[in-house]
Amino acid sequence: MAGNGRKLRSSGWFGGRDMHGFIHRSWMKNQGFGPENFDGRPVIGIANSASEVTPCNAHLDRVAEAVKRGVWKAGGFPLEFPTMSLGEPVMRPTTMLFRNLMAMDVEESIRANPFDGVVLLCGCDKTTPAQVMGAASVDLPAIVVTGGPMLNGKFRGRDIGSGTDVWRFTDDLRAGRMSLEDYLEAESCLSRSAGHCMTMGTASTMASMVEALGLQPPGGAAIPAVDSRRYALAEYAGTRIVEMVGEDLRLSKVLTRDAFENAIKVNAAIGGSTNAIVHLLAIAGRLGVQLRLEDFDHLIRDVPFLVNLQPSGEYLMEDFYYAGGLPVVMKELGDILHENALTVTGRTVAENVAAAANYNQDVIKTRAKPINVGAGTAVLRGNLCPDGAVIKQSAATPALMQHRGRAVVFEDIEDLYKRLDSPGLDIDESCVMVLKNAGPKGYPGMPELGNLPLPKKLLEKGVEDMVRISDARMSGTSFGTVVLHVAPESAIGGPLALVRDGDMIELDVASRRLHLDVADDELARRRQAWRPRAPASERGYVRLYIDHVLQADEGVDLDFLRGGSGSEVPRHSH
Ligand code: FES
């Protein structure tokens, strides 16, 4: 029973005085659980995405133990279960292909089991949105605890950041500025503790997004994975989820339109990843919250960019935590946010962050002295991207934000790798690099290929950035003048498919325009001649994915997974 006398969902399993109750309780007792655990107390599922092939989440078993302490303390009954896990640095062809599969796993695992509330343990990029998407389609009380970032990388006396410095070192190696020996030494200096990427990449961004949405307790995004305070926070989450069950504080009561607007604005303030766009659109789609691609542009035009973290700035997540973390940012944003939005603490955003203090104004700037204003995501339109494309302004080169250049086209990633360093490649720094067939259906899975490496001969000349355009995503740790998420994608005949070497392309970020300067009748001729490629697979999940995945402007979820199926107790199993 909940405190208000409401019968809990778990009683549908453990409350029966019949064969069904006997079966559900008896087999659970083989783990040594005494009969009092089945007396109607809240049953809390702990969704654990720990895996040795997801190194960023490999420590989550310890986090789960801390959550359990909190659940026991509050009088609940914690039951941990494994979920699919998506290891960004290991999985091929891309974790994004499997985000929706993991979300299905999480959704069905929650609904099929006797849970009254859930704690979601995640960390690596896609594991956070996948768990929230799945949980949203069930809509029980839910609280997120991310695993926290790694400690700062340390290489020869200086801090180095996940992803961001890998791209830099790799460019240095290819340009002959770094020896292979040094490069390999740096590899061992980068990832030196448990946790996820410690730049403001996608994992840190999504951890911040769930905190901004009100789903993660305040401060949870930035505490390093190995800091004892993460485990204290996890214990609090275990205690709090039991109370949330009593309050019937379901996920849909937290994830309102206001909460999504807060997350979008916070993403601009932290210089967060463009990947937040597809993930927030997908989560909103599970709850019927109307969110459009344009919201990621018009909502942030007055938002100050405050957080000086790589890849857009200098510092790393450990510094962010010591400076005060996300509560400082949200307090600084103040009335730019919906301060009355409800969070999992049972308090509002304003109440959660009231006591936050900024301990380092070089890491977290003030609203009076921001890095700049309105420099988050820009959503582009034009004949090259009728359904939109995005560019992260804070990571781009200002001089390239208005640019007209000759297209150098790569038909797919294999074509790019084959020709990129060829001395005969007809390219200079004024060109626009175009990559096709890297979208949701085309790759499949919309991989993080959008920050195309620059040709070696240009790196050797000292070129550091060029305009690049694709239907891919890019790692949240990446930087450059990179136009991403072009929709519709090239594999389904979007205009990107029609671009040819030598075409002129115009990018004008200020007027949100991306234009292919080719006459309409010529484009019509090319469209007539265009033929789709054969799908990457004729069977299994990949086939299902290709047949049903939505385009980038709609969040790249599977069409039939939008919405939810609720938390009704399913039919008997025996
Ligand atoms: Fe897992 Fe970056 S690779 S968070």
Short mmCIF file of all heavy atoms in Angstrom, two decimals, residues 54-57 86-89 123-125 150 162 195-198 202-204 477, ligand 1:
data_model
loop_
_atom_site.label_atom_id
_atom_site.label_comp_id
_atom_site.label_asym_id
_atom_site.label_seq_id
_atom_site.Cartn_x
_atom_site.Cartn_y
_atom_site.Cartn_z
N THR A 54 30.75 -1.52 -21.85
CA THR A 54 30.40 -0.10 -21.77
C THR A 54 31.26 0.46 -20.64
O THR A 54 30.79 0.62 -19.51
CB THR A 54 28.90 0.09 -21.45
OG1 THR A 54 28.13 -0.66 -22.40
CG2 THR A 54 28.48 1.55 -21.52
N PRO A 55 32.52 0.75 -20.91
CA PRO A 55 33.43 1.12 -19.83
C PRO A 55 32.92 2.30 -18.99
O PRO A 55 33.17 2.36 -17.79
CB PRO A 55 34.74 1.47 -20.56
CG PRO A 55 34.40 1.57 -22.01
CD PRO A 55 33.18 0.75 -22.23
N CYS A 56 32.19 3.20 -19.62
CA CYS A 56 31.69 4.38 -18.91
C CYS A 56 30.67 3.99 -17.84
O CYS A 56 30.41 4.78 -16.93
CB CYS A 56 31.05 5.34 -19.91
SG CYS A 56 32.05 5.55 -21.39
N ASN A 57 30.07 2.81 -17.96
CA ASN A 57 29.03 2.38 -17.02
C ASN A 57 29.49 1.20 -16.16
O ASN A 57 28.70 0.65 -15.41
CB ASN A 57 27.76 1.94 -17.77
CG ASN A 57 27.08 3.07 -18.51
OD1 ASN A 57 27.72 4.08 -18.79
ND2 ASN A 57 25.82 2.92 -18.84
N LEU A 86 24.99 0.24 -23.97
CA LEU A 86 25.50 0.72 -25.25
C LEU A 86 26.83 1.44 -25.02
O LEU A 86 26.85 2.56 -24.51
CB LEU A 86 24.49 1.67 -25.90
CG LEU A 86 23.05 1.14 -26.02
CD1 LEU A 86 22.13 2.22 -26.56
CD2 LEU A 86 22.99 -0.09 -26.92
N GLY A 87 27.90 0.78 -25.38
CA GLY A 87 29.24 1.32 -25.13
C GLY A 87 29.73 2.12 -26.32
O GLY A 87 30.19 1.57 -27.33
N GLU A 88 29.68 3.42 -26.20
CA GLU A 88 30.02 4.34 -27.29
C GLU A 88 31.40 4.05 -27.93
O GLU A 88 31.53 4.04 -29.16
CB GLU A 88 29.99 5.77 -26.76
CG GLU A 88 29.88 6.84 -27.80
CD GLU A 88 28.57 6.81 -28.54
OE1 GLU A 88 27.53 6.47 -27.95
OE2 GLU A 88 28.58 7.13 -29.74
N PRO A 89 32.43 3.82 -27.12
CA PRO A 89 33.75 3.66 -27.76
C PRO A 89 33.98 2.28 -28.35
O PRO A 89 35.02 2.05 -28.95
CB PRO A 89 34.73 3.89 -26.60
CG PRO A 89 33.97 3.68 -25.36
CD PRO A 89 32.51 3.80 -25.66
N GLY A 123 24.82 6.37 -18.07
CA GLY A 123 26.01 7.22 -18.11
C GLY A 123 26.48 7.44 -19.53
O GLY A 123 26.43 8.55 -20.05
N CYS A 124 26.94 6.39 -20.18
CA CYS A 124 27.44 6.56 -21.53
C CYS A 124 26.32 7.09 -22.43
O CYS A 124 25.14 6.83 -22.20
CB CYS A 124 28.01 5.24 -22.05
SG CYS A 124 29.11 5.47 -23.47
N ASP A 125 26.73 7.81 -23.46
CA ASP A 125 25.84 8.68 -24.24
C ASP A 125 24.39 8.21 -24.40
O ASP A 125 23.46 8.90 -24.02
CB ASP A 125 26.39 8.86 -25.67
CG ASP A 125 27.73 9.57 -25.69
OD1 ASP A 125 28.36 9.71 -24.63
OD2 ASP A 125 28.15 9.96 -26.79
N MET A 150 34.49 10.75 -15.60
CA MET A 150 35.85 10.36 -15.19
C MET A 150 36.55 11.59 -14.61
O MET A 150 36.17 12.74 -14.90
CB MET A 150 36.68 9.89 -16.40
CG MET A 150 36.22 8.59 -17.00
SD MET A 150 37.34 8.01 -18.31
CE MET A 150 36.71 8.85 -19.75
N SER A 162 38.31 13.89 -22.81
CA SER A 162 37.79 12.78 -23.61
C SER A 162 37.31 13.28 -24.96
O SER A 162 36.60 14.28 -25.04
CB SER A 162 36.59 12.13 -22.93
OG SER A 162 36.78 11.94 -21.57
N GLY A 195 33.97 6.07 -14.94
CA GLY A 195 33.11 7.20 -15.32
C GLY A 195 33.00 7.40 -16.81
O GLY A 195 33.65 6.71 -17.60
N HIS A 196 32.15 8.35 -17.18
CA HIS A 196 31.95 8.63 -18.61
C HIS A 196 32.84 9.80 -19.03
O HIS A 196 33.56 10.40 -18.21
CB HIS A 196 30.47 8.89 -18.92
CG HIS A 196 29.83 10.03 -18.17
ND1 HIS A 196 30.19 11.35 -18.36
CD2 HIS A 196 28.84 10.06 -17.24
CE1 HIS A 196 29.45 12.13 -17.60
NE2 HIS A 196 28.63 11.37 -16.90
N CYS A 197 32.80 10.16 -20.31
CA CYS A 197 33.64 11.23 -20.85
C CYS A 197 33.52 12.49 -19.98
O CYS A 197 32.41 12.86 -19.57
CB CYS A 197 33.21 11.58 -22.27
SG CYS A 197 33.58 10.29 -23.46
N MET A 198 34.66 13.11 -19.73
CA MET A 198 34.64 14.23 -18.78
C MET A 198 34.71 15.60 -19.46
O MET A 198 34.91 16.62 -18.81
CB MET A 198 35.71 14.05 -17.71
CG MET A 198 37.14 14.41 -18.03
SD MET A 198 37.76 13.92 -19.60
CE MET A 198 38.88 12.59 -19.19
N THR A 202 28.47 14.24 -25.11
CA THR A 202 27.06 13.85 -25.04
C THR A 202 26.70 13.26 -23.68
O THR A 202 25.60 13.50 -23.17
CB THR A 202 26.74 12.86 -26.16
OG1 THR A 202 27.11 13.48 -27.40
CG2 THR A 202 25.28 12.52 -26.19
N ALA A 203 27.58 12.48 -23.07
CA ALA A 203 27.24 11.87 -21.78
C ALA A 203 27.03 12.96 -20.72
O ALA A 203 26.04 12.94 -19.99
CB ALA A 203 28.33 10.90 -21.35
N SER A 204 27.97 13.91 -20.63
CA SER A 204 27.82 14.98 -19.65
C SER A 204 26.61 15.85 -20.00
O SER A 204 25.91 16.35 -19.11
CB SER A 204 29.08 15.85 -19.62
OG SER A 204 30.21 15.08 -19.28
N THR A 477 31.82 15.73 -28.10
CA THR A 477 33.16 16.22 -27.76
C THR A 477 33.83 16.92 -28.94
O THR A 477 34.96 17.39 -28.83
CB THR A 477 34.05 15.04 -27.31
OG1 THR A 477 34.19 14.14 -28.41
CG2 THR A 477 33.46 14.30 -26.14
FE1 FES B 1 30.97 6.68 -22.98
FE2 FES B 1 31.95 9.08 -23.94
S1 FES B 1 32.39 7.09 -24.57
S2 FES B 1 30.57 8.66 -22.38
#
